[in-house]
Structure formats: C-alpha cells, structure tokens
C-alpha cells in the first residue's frame, strides 16, 4: 500500500541520517543547524543533492531577513537618514543618532532612549547587513557609546 511505502521511505531516510550523522559537516551553520545536519545526513537516501536542504534553509533565512529589514522601523529610519547624508554614513553617539531619527520611530512605552536604540540596533545587526548597512560599535566616550553606520 501507499502508506507502507511512505513509512518505509521515512525509515530509510532516518536510518541513513543516523548512519551518517557524525560525518556530515555543513559549510555554514544555518538557523536550525542540528536539523540541517540531520537532514543533510539523510540526503543520500532522498531525492536531493548534498547540501540542498541547508541551501533552502539559508535562502529562506535571507528572504525572511530581507522582508523584515524592509518593515523594521529602526532600519527604515536609519536607512532614510543615510540616504540624506552625502557620505551615506553616520558616526556619532546613540544620543546623536536618536536625535536625528526619533521623529520617524514608532511610539514606545517609556519613550526612546539612546540605550533602547542601541539595544534595538544590536538586535537588528543581521537585518541591517541584509539591507546593505554596516553597523560598527566604536567604543565609549564621556558623551556616550559611539556607533558608525555605513550604507554599503
């Protein structure tokens, strides 16, 4: 029957994955890396080329980051600021950055502070990269933490 054929194929794939699990190495560790390694170990028994599953995971992660970077208010505000500056970069404190982008940011409980902006930018660094923006923390001064943001 069809059900037993499907179940047999699943068992064969799991058996292959368990047999090859220690041998499988991915070039990059995508999100859900353990799952990617397990399915990659099963690929010889599936209708897939080696590395196909990890590539799909990576592509989906990039697509998700791209759509998030287009909708994330902090990225949109910083991107707009960079497009207005001739050098396409910002180099200053988080307070100075906040002064320039705060009007474009959504209201937040407790309002925006340089510390909240810093934490949000840190959380979004991978999404900034996808949007073609490099974020570099440049240490601390007596006026606050500094950041350099450049549109690549």
């Amino acid at each position: 029957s069809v059900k037993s054929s499907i179940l047999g194929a699943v068992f064969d794939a799991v058996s292959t994955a368990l047999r090859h699990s220690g041998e499988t190495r991915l070039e990059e560790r995508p999100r859900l890396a353990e799952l990617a390694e397990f399915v990659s170990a099963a690929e010889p028994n599936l209708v897939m080329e080696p590395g196909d599953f990890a590539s799909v995971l990576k592509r989906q992660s990039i697509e998700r980051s791209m759509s998030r970077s287009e909708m994330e208010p902090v990225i949109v505000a910083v991107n707009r600021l960079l497009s207005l500056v001739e050098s396409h970069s910002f180099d200053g404190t988080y307070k100075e950055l906040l002064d320039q982008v705060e009007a474009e940011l959504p209201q937040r409980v407790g309002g925006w502070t340089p510390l909240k902006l810093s934490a949000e930018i840190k959380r979004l660094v991978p999404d900034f990269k996808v949007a073609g923006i490099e974020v570099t923390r440049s240490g601390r001064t007596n006026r606050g933490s500094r950041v350099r943001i450049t549109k690549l």
Side-chain angles (χ1 to χ4, degrees):
S1 95
V2 173
K3 289 180 183 179
S4 60
S5 295
I6 292 172
L7 188 58
V10 169
F11 287 154
D12 285 345
V14 170
S15 172
T16 301
L18 291 172
R19 194 169 43 255
H20 295 286
S21 66
E23 306 163 9
T24 305
R25 296 287 173 251
L26 302 174
E27 289 180 26
E28 294 181 37
R29 291 189 55 83
R31 186 181 165 138
L32 303 170
E34 291 81 13
L35 174 66
E37 285 180 351
F38 186 79
V39 174
S40 293
E43 285 175 336
N45 201 22
L46 301 172
V47 186
M48 300 172 80
E49 294 295 318
D52 279 356
F53 186 76
S55 294
V56 168
L57 275 181
K58 183 178 180 181
R59 187 172 52 249
Q60 286 180 340
S61 177
I62 289 170
E63 288 170 2
R64 190 172 37 258
S65 290
M66 285 175 67
S67 80
R68 197 166 61 214
S69 70
E70 293 167 357
M71 298 180 338
E72 196 60 59
V74 171
I75 295 175
V76 171
V78 168
N79 199 9
R80 191 166 293 136
L81 169 68
L82 296 179
S83 67
L84 297 174
V85 179
E86 189 176 323
S87 65
H88 298 292
S89 67
F90 170 86
D91 190 358
T93 66
Y94 284 100
K95 168 78 171 105
E96 294 165 341
L97 179 61
L98 182 59
D99 290 343
Q100 294 190 41
V101 300
E102 187 170 21
E104 295 188 46
L105 298 176
Q107 294 300 312
R108 214 181 152 139
V109 176
W112 283 95
T113 65
L115 187 61
K116 287 180 183 176
L117 181 61
S118 168
E120 191 70 3
I121 288 174
K122 182 178 180 182
R123 180 182 73 80
L124 294 169
V125 163
D127 298 312
F128 271 104
K129 278 185 182 177
V130 170
I133 299 171
E134 181 179 56
V135 177
T136 309
R137 292 171 177 260
S138 1
R140 189 157 172 72
T141 68
N142 59 351
R143 296 183 322 145
S145 296
R146 294 187 62 80
V147 62
R148 179 167 178 77
I149 303 174
T150 308
K151 190 167 181 103
L152 303 174

